[in-house]
Structures are given as structure tokens and as C-alpha cells.
Amino acid sequence: MEYNESINDIAAALQQPADLAFELPDPEDEQIPESDFQQQLDVAWQVCDRFDLQTEIWRGRILRAIRDREKKGGDGRGTGFLKWLKEREISKSQAYAWIQLANSADTLLEEGRLDPGSVNNFSKRAFVETSKASPEVQQMVSEAAQKGDRITRREVRQLSDEWTAMSSELLPEPVKVKAADNTLPPRYIAPLVKELEKLPEPHQKYLQKEIAANPDVDTLKQVTTEARYLAKYLKSAAQVQALTQAEVDIETALEEAQRVGCLSIAADLVNQASQMEQTIAKLYMTWKRISNLADRLYVDTGASTPNLRSLLSNLEPLGGEIMELQLSGTVEHTVRLQIQEIT
């Protein structure tokens, strides 16, 4: 009985129009000051944003219930769930985005990091951003929302950057001190921490010394760029067979590149070498595929298919040992490649 009553209550609520009857300012009324015009529209937009957030959280909960029901009693392939989406013209990616939003909402509410009454103070993007933040940042955001503050994605990111600047163990003390008194903006510190996290400890210490000696914005930017190149260098070097097979001392080479100031060039060279090897591997697999397809097509064609034979005769050389290709449609730049399989 209670179940039926709750369904009836919901159905009755749907008969009532949503309270979205705004009195928007007349865009042609020149007597309205520009600041007032913008403020009125901003308030209306915020209401729509909140309404949209609540709607999408509930859409996610509904879809999650359908999906979970299908998992328990369906065919194991999600056919019923997909049929439900198709009937309502909802893409699979959109459905799972709503489910993720609902999961984030329920997690924040269940763990007590968000007061249900303060949800309306969030924009949708801010809510998603909060769900991805650390527990400490979620707590700070929740406290601001409970005080009635309007929470946008910008505020969440700002709080996240501030927390990173104050709490990261990767930052030397001089940087933390300047972050605390706002002489070093957190927006420059957070990207540095993210890049440092990707590096081995010896390289972290090297860069930490640099920023400890000169804890200013220019140094932070420079070290962040350097850390990014270091991470790219190390990731690419581990994938380059020409280096791993020759047992090149990558770490020492890296230190030397730093010392002579050509780290970015060395990193780019290693990255290009990695891409080259991957391209060669892909080229070989494509070359083998062309050769096999050409052989199969040759067997299935004959004098009755002269045009198909012509197509085959012109493409077949791309599966041979030697290939030629004119670059940019000019005869002056011809590339000749030879592939030899060594067993």
C-alpha cells in the first residue's frame, strides 16, 4: 500500500508545473542598468542550473536501478537496459554519465560530507568536480555550501589548489610558507605538484632544490615545465627498444641533459624515437595485411574482372619488399622503403 501511495504522490507531483516562471528583463529596455540586467539573468540561470542538477541526479538513480535490476534478472548482456535507453533516445555514454553523477551524490551524502539541503547551492559542474576532489576539499566545499555560498567549479578548483599548496609533502618549506601568506598563488603550485608526482624520488629532490632556492612564480613555471619534460622523457625512454636493448644509462643521460640545459630537446628526441618504433610496428602489420589480402584477391579474380585486376595490380606493390611513395604529390620527393623479415 505504501508503495502504491508513493507512486501516486510522484505521479501527482508530475502534474504540477515546475516553478520556473521567471520574469526576465526586457533586453530592449535601455532604462535597465547593464549591471542589473546581468544580475537578473544570472539569478535565473543559477535556478535553472540547480534544477538541472537535481534532475540529472535523479535520472542517474533511475538508470542505476534499471541497470542493477537487469544485472540480477536479465540475460547477463544488459539487453533490457539498452532497450530502455533506446526507447527514450538516451545514449549509453549519457546514461553512464548520469549514473556516475548519482553515485557521486549518494557517496557524498552517505559519508556525511554533504548536507542534502545544500545541494542546490552547487552548479552541476561544481558538484561533479567536488565528487572528484580529496575528502579534505570536499569537507571545505560542503562547509561553504552549508553557509549559503554559491559553489561553482571555479571555487572547487581554487579550494583544491589551496589544499594542494598547503598539504603536499613534495613542496619544500619555503614554498609552503609563501603559499600560506598568498605571495605564491596556489594556481601555480598545484600543476607543479601534479608533475612532481609522476617522477622518481631522485628527480623530485633535484627540482625541489631549485624551487627552494628561488621560491617565486617564474621558478615555479620553469620547474613545472622541466618536470613535465622529465616525465615525458622517462615514460618514452622505457618504451624505446633502441635504448633498452643497448642498455643505455638513461638516468645518467637525463642528468647530463639537465646539466647542459637541453632537457627539452632530449625529451623530444626520445619521444619521437618511441613514436617512430610504434609507427614501424604498425607499418609492418599493415604491410602484412596488404600482402595477404592481395594474394586472396588475386585468386578470386580473372579476365572477367579487368577493373578489379587493375586495382589489384596498382595496390599490390605496397605489400612487396620495396615500396615507393611520392610526398606531397611531387616527383622531387620520393621515399623508397624496403621491408625484410628476419627470423
Side-chain angles (χ1 to χ4, degrees):
M1 183 67 179
E2 293 180 357
Y3 170 79
N4 289 332
E5 287 179 352
S6 64
I7 291 297
N8 291 334
D9 289 342
I10 294 174
L14 290 174
Q15 302 300 319
Q16 303 299 322
D19 187 15
L20 293 176
F22 301 121
E23 292 186 7
L24 299 179
D26 185 354
E28 298 183 3
D29 188 349
E30 298 181 355
Q31 295 182 354
I32 302 177
E34 182 64 22
S35 58
D36 292 347
F37 180 80
Q38 294 290 342
Q39 184 179 11
Q40 291 181 53
L41 292 183
D42 184 56
V43 169
W45 186 270
Q46 289 179 22
V47 174
C48 291
D49 209 8
R50 295 170 188 173
F51 185 84
D52 186 52
L53 171 60
Q54 291 279 13
T55 300
E56 295 199 1
I57 289 175
W58 277 105
R59 284 185 187 275
R61 288 169 175 163
I62 294 167
L63 289 167
R64 184 177 62 197
I66 296 167
R67 182 202 61 186
D68 293 347
R69 178 82 166 187
E70 179 73 10
K71 284 182 179 180
K72 184 176 181 179
D75 59 6
R77 295 178 297 175
T79 305
F81 178 59
L82 295 176
K83 180 182 178 183
W84 204 91
L85 297 181
K86 185 177 181 180
E87 289 174 349
R88 289 156 181 81
E89 298 182 348
I90 302 171
S91 69
K92 194 174 180 180
S93 60
Q94 179 62 73
Y96 278 100
W98 280 333
I99 291 174
Q100 183 182 22
L101 182 63
N103 289 340
S104 299
D106 293 344
T107 299
L108 291 173
L109 293 170
E110 288 170 5
E111 295 178 354
R113 295 185 185 139
L114 186 65
D115 178 48
S118 64
V119 172
N120 282 339
N121 291 331
F122 287 78
S123 70
K124 184 175 68 173
R125 290 183 176 182
F127 193 85
V128 174
E129 195 77 23
T130 302
S131 69
K132 297 177 181 177
S134 65
E136 295 81 5
V137 173
Q138 290 176 352
Q139 184 63 37
M140 290 188 290
V141 172
S142 178
E143 290 174 357
Q146 288 178 29
K147 289 188 297 183
D149 294 350
R150 172 67 177 161
I151 307 298
T152 66
R153 184 169 58 169
R154 181 177 180 180
E155 277 76 30
V156 178
R157 288 185 173 180
Q158 182 177 344
L159 285 172
S160 182
D161 288 349
E162 290 174 357
W163 173 254
T164 298
M166 298 301 299
S167 64
S168 176
E169 297 180 356
L170 295 176
L171 295 171
E173 195 60 30
V175 175
K176 289 187 176 182
V177 171
K178 289 203 169 190
D181 61 20
N182 292 321
T183 53
L184 272 182
R187 68 178 182 274
Y188 294 113
I189 299 176
L192 170 63
V193 173
K194 291 178 182 178
E195 295 301 330
L196 286 176
E197 289 174 345
K198 302 175 185 177
L199 299 176
E201 186 176 349
H203 299 299
Q204 290 176 349
K205 291 182 176 180
Y206 176 89
L207 296 176
Q208 286 166 346
K209 290 180 181 179
E210 285 192 36
I211 54 178
N214 297 291
D216 53 44
V217 172
D218 289 339
T219 303
L220 285 182
K221 291 181 178 179
Q222 177 186 341
V223 173
T224 301
T225 301
E226 196 170 349
R228 189 176 297 115
Y229 279 126
L230 279 169
K232 184 185 295 185
Y233 179 105
L234 293 170
K235 180 180 179 181
S236 298
Q239 300 172 347
V240 178
Q241 293 183 24
L243 297 177
T244 56
Q245 291 178 353
E247 298 183 353
V248 174
D249 190 339
I250 297 172
E251 292 292 326
T252 303
L254 179 60
E255 293 173 3
E256 292 173 353
Q258 283 182 302
R259 177 167 52 82
V260 299
C262 60
L263 177 61
S264 61
I265 299 175
D268 195 24
L269 173 61
V270 173
N271 186 48
Q272 293 297 325
S274 175
Q275 292 185 35
M276 172 67 82
E277 288 189 346
Q278 294 175 31
T279 301
I280 292 173
K282 185 175 181 180
L283 171 64
Y284 171 74
M285 298 304 296
T286 304
W287 175 74
K288 290 286 291 184
R289 181 69 173 158
I290 288 177
S291 179
N292 292 336
L293 291 173
D295 289 344
R296 288 169 55 187
L297 191 58
Y298 181 82
V299 173
D300 295 338
T301 58
S304 63
T305 56
N307 293 299
L308 188 55
R309 275 284 180 152
S310 176
L311 180 147
L312 174 61
S313 64
N314 283 279
L315 294 181
E316 191 175 23
L318 294 176
E321 287 191 3
I322 299 178
M323 296 168 286
E324 288 190 357
L325 178 67
Q326 291 183 1
L327 300 182
S328 303
T330 64
V331 294
E332 291 84 2
H333 297 85
T334 300
V335 176
R336 179 177 294 135
L337 300 176
Q338 181 175 7
I339 298 180
Q340 292 181 333
E341 294 183 278
I342 301 175
T343 58

